[in-house]
Amino acid sequence: MKRELAVLGRLIRRGTLELRLPDGAQHLFGSGPPHARWTFTRRDSLRRIIANPELALGESYMRGEWDTPPGELATLLAVLMRNAGELAHDGGRLRRLLGGLLQQWNRVQASYRNVAHHYDLDEWLFRLFLDREMYYSCAYFAVPQLSLEAAQRAKAEHIAAKLRLQPGQRVLDIGCGWGSLALHLAQHHDVHVTGLTLSRAQLAVAQRTAQERGLSGRVQFLLQDYREHADQYDRIVSVGMFEHVGRPYYARFFRQVAASLRPRGVALVHTICRLGPPGTTNAWVRRYIFPGGYSPALSELTAGIEHSALKVMDMELLRRHYALTLNAWQARFQRHRAEVAERMGEQFCRMWEFYLAAAEASFETDDMAVAQVQLAAEADAVPLTRDYLYAPLAQPRTLRRAG
Amino acid sequence: MKRELAVLGRLIRRGTLELRLPDGAQHLFGSGPPHARWTFTRRDSLRRIIANPELALGESYMRGEWDTPPGELATLLAVLMRNAGELAHDGGRLRRLLGGLLQQWNRVQASYRNVAHHYDLDEWLFRLFLDREMYYSCAYFAVPQLSLEAAQRAKAEHIAAKLRLQPGQRVLDIGCGWGSLALHLAQHHDVHVTGLTLSRAQLAVAQRTAQERGLSGRVQFLLQDYREHADQYDRIVSVGMFEHVGRPYYARFFRQVAASLRPRGVALVHTICRLGPPGTTNAWVRRYIFPGGYSPALSELTAGIEHSALKVMDMELLRRHYALTLNAWQARFQRHRAEVAERMGEQFCRMWEFYLAAAEASFETDDMAVAQVQLAAEADAVPLTRDYLYAPLAQPRTLRRAG
């Protein structure tokens, strides 16, 4: 145990880590806020975590070998990640040892079939912790106090403003999920939207909701890969789908968007990105949550764009917004935890809460952000300045600060 | 000549090119706006241009072998560049032939000693065509109708807003030119500014102006390379200097900025960038205007940042603003052309007007833009949303729409 304590002693330089071992021994590392508390029920667990943090941290939590006080899991993970991040500029043996903590913990959005193993449970599970419209991506907290519902509506309106929608336009939504954004745009901006998804269950929910709201004439949902879809649109939007494209296909993705865009068209890609250099997705996340997901570094994202006819018109980095979103999802999940434990088991619950907390911590520590990239082939497809995104009367933004 | 006419016939697909040969023959290529007119006084000139467009286009213009009607030089160059740009996605022999037209024509800002060969003439020359404050970088046209003076002030205010200046802060201006931005920030935002330049002549102008305005207590100008300057600042700004850093030194530049920034500091880098893939600087520009300049592709710029502790907080792409700026510079230059011709000779005038027109055309055809990259080490160094940049009362922006 001495060696493990020495490693933590060297690691923790920002914030405080309060460690409690099964024999009642307490150790304090670092100082100042944030204050994280880490209580072990198995003596050998810390050794295995330090030997292989990437997998063992999540797996030992799933097995109940350690815990934090309620609501403090993300704080603990943020302290570990932030201090591991400091090592990046020091290098050395400790970095090699704990490098796993720096990998991408953030694969949040996903083709949902990867998430749970029972298709029929999915909608139920997601309805428990997402907002009413089931946006499964980063919300836009125009002010931090917004409710999750209001922040997701604000996101939809922020995207609508960036798309410069005009009534009657044809819009393609690549990776439409349960149809939340497509339905919002059709209803509030009077456009015709085609949503593409690869999930039959999402398709069914989206089509049912369109019918319930009398929007079937203005939205259509298709079970189709974007590479198979050959039509022309005034506007193209893709939210939380680029993370599934895969590095070797970035240029192809943007060329496909360029080819599907009419002259003077505008596209908006909303994706998690890494603010540091290119990395790899954390092994625990790959194994338990999202096989095949990858969040690009900005240099990878822009290189993909540069090999298409599209040009970057604007790039907003939403920092912390996803931490706020994940925090709200975690709170909702915790309110329904007993229900989930009964249906899915305790281990599933611990897996899910670890996933939400690890993702929250990775956005809290500034390594990750969401990039909203506005694209067009012609520079005058969007205005000369960005004032139009913030003009109080420019868009039907009454929704924005509501809720 | 048949071969040359056939090449133009294949090249021009957007806009119209009206060609007049010395024997009076006229040829029309393409259709629709913009309409460019190209009149040759030497018969073999077109052949040499097509054999080596990169160098021969500018050199033949300097020698007076062809012309356009007054004020239409940028239009001609834009038609040539835009159509050459279309070839990028076709590939083939024509692209190899005319690829030189696609290279960077845009090395606008520069360590001014590269520009003219007579140091003592420089200030005189630049005062002729720049605004009164001598900003030698892209202005910010909050509305397109702004005068050049107002647009340069608007740029300074836009940058000040992105820096989130507080009275009393210490600001470093890397590549301060004639001191325009440093003096503006010290005077209107009550901060202490250190400006670095490598030019003795710029230093003298900046120091003289500071004294004239009674600002010597709040600004200091140093003849120093940014790599030699080891001090700590709350804010760092660099406008039109990154183009001189050189690709191999991007990561070093950003690491130096990171090291000079106090905790919770904010930096703003304003640089010309290429919206397409990495390229090379045009040979004519290298030979006659700016040896050693290079405008990064966004993927190169972001890769440099990723290898420092800095993170991108926001990335605005100013498109067309530089075309408007260059157009205003050209108009002022033309008003003083006789004076310049008398002092510097006709060939210098043609070189200078070709340079301004080629740069204008390259921004007009959307290949180039100016990136304003806001950087910080901690994500909460800047607000959660970008509203603060556009809030009418947030900053002393009364200057902005004045003029």
Side-chain angles (χ1 to χ4, degrees):
Chain A
M1 185 57 73
K2 247 188 187 163
R3 181 173 165 273
E4 285 72 36
L5 297 177
V7 167
L8 289 177
R10 285 178 56 205
L11 176 68
I12 306 299
R13 294 170 187 200
R14 290 169 71 183
T16 309
L17 177 64
E18 185 185 323
L19 187 74
R20 278 165 194 259
L21 296 175
D23 59 7
Q26 284 189 37
H27 299 272
L28 214 63
F29 304 98
S31 61
H35 192 101
R37 289 178 285 186
W38 201 4
T39 304
F40 281 86
T41 52
R42 274 187 70 111
R43 198 171 163 78
D44 58 349
S45 193
L46 182 60
R47 185 183 50 72
R48 275 185 283 113
I49 289 170
I50 285 177
N52 178 16
E54 199 179 345
L55 265 178
L57 187 65
E59 289 185 339
S60 58
Y61 182 79
M62 285 166 70
R63 285 192 300 265
E65 296 178 6
W66 57 267
D67 233 317
T68 66
E72 296 188 12
L73 182 53
T75 309
L76 169 68
L77 296 176
V79 167
L80 293 176
M81 286 184 202
R82 195 185 294 274
N83 281 287
E86 298 283 306
L87 299 177
H89 303 288
D90 290 1
R93 206 180 59 86
L94 199 59
R95 167 149 170 67
R96 279 198 302 284
L97 186 65
L98 295 176
L101 286 172
L102 290 171
Q103 289 174 303
Q104 299 190 351
W105 289 91
N106 65 298
R107 285 298 310 111
V108 178
Q109 304 108 326
S111 156
Y112 79 137
R113 68 183 156 199
N114 292 333
V115 174
H117 302 295
H118 301 89
Y119 281 84
D120 55 334
L121 288 177
D122 285 343
E123 186 188 344
W124 165 82
L125 176 68
F126 286 100
R127 281 208 189 277
L128 283 186
F129 74 93
L130 297 179
D131 69 303
R132 282 190 301 272
E133 294 292 318
M134 294 180 78
Y135 284 99
Y136 192 32
S137 57
C138 175
Y140 180 69
F141 287 83
V143 292
Q145 297 75 22
L146 283 193
S147 71
L148 179 63
E149 327 292 323
Q152 290 292 12
R153 277 199 303 274
K155 186 251 304 275
E157 280 303 298
H158 201 46
I159 288 173
K162 289 184 177 189
L163 287 172
R164 309 277 299 158
L165 295 177
Q166 302 295 325
Q169 284 183 328
R170 284 166 52 80
V171 180
L172 177 65
D173 181 359
I174 301 175
C176 65
W178 293 280
S180 37
L181 181 65
L183 294 162
H184 179 96
L185 297 182
Q187 183 158 10
H188 295 286
H189 295 270
D190 199 18
V191 290
H192 294 267
V193 189
T194 299
L196 305 184
T197 176
L198 290 175
S199 154
R200 280 181 199 283
Q202 289 188 325
L203 182 76
V205 172
Q207 287 177 331
R208 192 184 67 214
T209 315
Q211 210 146 33
E212 283 167 7
R213 297 188 189 172
L215 291 168
S216 302
R218 271 187 280 167
V219 287
Q220 63 167 337
F221 294 104
L222 303 172
L223 193 72
Q224 207 172 38
D225 189 285
Y226 73 94
R227 289 163 289 197
E228 297 159 7
H229 188 76
D231 207 346
Q232 294 279 305
Y233 294 89
D234 303 298
R235 301 292 186 255
I236 298 178
V237 65
S238 184
V239 177
M241 181 278 183
F242 191 77
E243 297 90 331
H244 301 285
V245 166
R247 269 188 278 198
Y249 304 100
Y250 286 177
R252 180 172 177 182
F253 173 84
F254 288 110
R255 280 200 289 260
Q256 176 78 27
V257 170
S260 305
L261 211 52
R262 288 183 178 161
R264 294 182 58 75
V266 179
L268 191 283
V269 173
H270 169 119
T271 177
I272 297 176
C273 64
R274 200 178 162 84
L275 295 177
T280 53
T281 303
N282 172 277
W284 183 87
V285 175
R286 275 204 314 273
R287 180 174 298 179
Y288 293 96
I289 310 289
F290 303 110
Y294 177 72
S295 300
L298 290 181
S299 59
E300 298 174 304
L301 182 61
T302 49
I305 297 164
E306 286 163 7
H307 287 92
S308 77
L310 296 173
K311 287 149 191 164
V312 178
M313 301 286 112
D314 181 36
M315 190 185 292
E316 178 166 18
L317 280 307
L318 298 173
R319 298 149 279 107
R320 302 280 162 107
H321 291 262
Y322 221 149
L324 292 167
T325 305
L326 284 152
N327 191 274
W329 289 348
Q330 180 79 276
R332 288 171 189 224
F333 181 78
Q334 292 300 324
R335 280 204 294 278
H336 298 282
R337 197 182 189 285
E339 202 181 325
V340 181
E342 198 185 336
R343 199 153 162 179
M344 308 285 285
E346 175 65 16
Q347 184 161 320
F348 179 88
C349 278
R350 292 183 75 87
M351 178 186 83
W352 202 257
E353 66 200 7
F354 185 85
Y355 145 59
L356 292 175
E360 180 183 341
S362 76
F363 285 97
E364 195 59 54
T365 52
D366 309 339
D367 273 349
M368 311 299 301
V370 166
Q372 283 194 340
V373 190
Q374 188 191 42
L375 300 157
E378 301 94 359
D380 56 356
V382 300
L384 203 57
T385 72
R386 306 187 299 195
D387 298 60
Y388 68 97
L389 294 174
Y390 303 94
L393 300 172
Q395 295 280 333
R397 292 170 81 77
T398 45
L399 283 162
R400 179 156 157 186
R401 297 198 187 234
Chain B
M1 184 57 74
K2 247 188 187 163
R3 182 171 163 274
E4 286 71 36
L5 297 177
V7 167
L8 289 178
R10 284 178 57 206
L11 176 68
I12 306 299
R13 294 171 188 200
R14 292 169 69 182
T16 308
L17 177 64
E18 185 184 323
L19 187 75
R20 278 163 194 260
L21 296 175
D23 59 6
Q26 284 190 37
H27 300 273
L28 214 62
F29 304 98
S31 62
H35 191 102
R37 289 178 284 185
W38 201 4
T39 304
F40 282 85
T41 52
R42 272 186 71 110
R43 196 168 163 80
D44 57 349
S45 192
L46 182 59
R47 185 183 51 71
R48 276 186 282 113
I49 288 169
I50 285 177
N52 177 17
E54 199 179 344
L55 266 178
L57 188 63
E59 289 184 339
S60 59
Y61 182 78
M62 285 166 69
R63 287 192 299 264
E65 296 178 7
W66 56 267
D67 233 317
T68 66
E72 295 187 13
L73 182 54
T75 308
L76 170 69
L77 296 176
V79 167
L80 293 176
M81 286 185 203
R82 196 184 295 274
N83 282 287
E86 299 283 306
L87 299 176
H89 304 287
D90 289 2
R93 207 180 59 87
L94 200 58
R95 166 149 171 67
R96 278 198 303 283
L97 186 63
L98 296 176
L101 285 174
L102 290 171
Q103 290 175 304
Q104 299 190 352
W105 289 92
N106 66 299
R107 286 297 310 113
V108 177
Q109 304 108 328
S111 155
Y112 80 136
R113 68 185 156 196
N114 292 332
V115 174
H117 302 295
H118 301 89
Y119 282 85
D120 55 334
L121 289 177
D122 285 343
E123 187 187 342
W124 163 82
L125 176 67
F126 286 101
R127 279 206 192 279
L128 282 187
F129 74 93
L130 297 179
D131 69 304
R132 282 190 301 274
E133 295 293 318
M134 294 179 80
Y135 284 99
Y136 192 29
S137 56
C138 175
Y140 180 68
F141 287 83
V143 293
Q145 297 75 22
L146 283 192
S147 72
L148 180 62
E149 327 293 322
Q152 292 291 11
R153 279 199 302 275
K155 186 252 302 276
E157 280 304 297
H158 200 48
I159 288 174
K162 290 184 175 186
L163 287 172
R164 310 276 299 157
L165 295 178
Q166 302 294 325
Q169 284 184 328
R170 282 166 54 80
V171 181
L172 177 66
D173 181 359
I174 301 175
C176 63
W178 293 281
S180 38
L181 181 65
L183 294 163
H184 178 96
L185 298 182
Q187 183 158 11
H188 296 286
H189 295 270
D190 199 18
V191 290
H192 294 267
V193 189
T194 299
L196 306 183
T197 176
L198 290 177
S199 154
R200 280 180 200 283
Q202 289 187 324
L203 182 75
V205 173
Q207 287 177 331
R208 191 183 68 214
T209 315
Q211 211 146 32
E212 285 167 7
R213 297 188 189 172
L215 290 168
S216 300
R218 271 187 278 166
V219 287
Q220 63 166 336
F221 294 103
L222 304 172
L223 192 74
Q224 207 173 38
D225 190 285
Y226 73 95
R227 288 162 291 196
E228 297 159 7
H229 188 77
D231 206 346
Q232 294 279 306
Y233 293 89
D234 303 298
R235 302 291 186 255
I236 298 177
V237 65
S238 184
V239 177
M241 180 278 185
F242 191 77
E243 298 89 331
H244 300 285
V245 167
R247 269 188 279 199
Y249 304 101
Y250 287 176
R252 180 172 178 183
F253 173 83
F254 288 110
R255 280 200 290 261
Q256 176 78 27
V257 171
S260 305
L261 211 51
R262 288 184 177 158
R264 296 183 56 76
V266 179
L268 192 283
V269 174
H270 169 117
T271 177
I272 297 176
C273 64
R274 199 177 163 84
L275 295 177
T280 53
T281 302
N282 173 278
W284 183 86
V285 175
R286 274 204 316 272
R287 180 174 298 178
Y288 293 96
I289 310 289
F290 304 110
Y294 178 72
S295 301
L298 291 181
S299 59
E300 297 174 304
L301 181 61
T302 48
I305 297 164
E306 286 163 8
H307 288 91
S308 77
L310 295 174
K311 286 150 191 165
V312 178
M313 301 286 111
D314 181 36
M315 189 184 292
E316 178 166 18
L317 280 308
L318 297 173
R319 299 149 277 107
R320 303 279 163 109
H321 291 263
Y322 221 149
L324 293 167
T325 305
L326 284 152
N327 191 273
W329 288 349
Q330 180 79 277
R332 287 170 189 225
F333 182 78
Q334 293 300 325
R335 280 204 294 278
H336 299 281
R337 196 184 191 283
E339 201 180 326
V340 181
E342 198 185 336
R343 200 154 162 179
M344 308 286 285
E346 174 66 16
Q347 184 160 320
F348 179 88
C349 277
R350 290 183 75 87
M351 178 187 83
W352 202 258
E353 67 200 7
F354 185 85
Y355 145 59
L356 292 175
E360 179 183 342
S362 76
F363 285 97
E364 196 59 55
T365 52
D366 310 339
D367 272 350
M368 311 299 302
V370 167
Q372 283 194 342
V373 191
Q374 187 191 42
L375 299 157
E378 301 93 359
D380 55 357
V382 300
L384 203 57
T385 71
R386 305 187 301 195
D387 298 60
Y388 69 97
L389 294 174
Y390 302 95
L393 301 173
Q395 295 280 333
R397 292 170 82 76
T398 44
L399 285 162
R400 178 153 155 188
R401 295 196 190 236

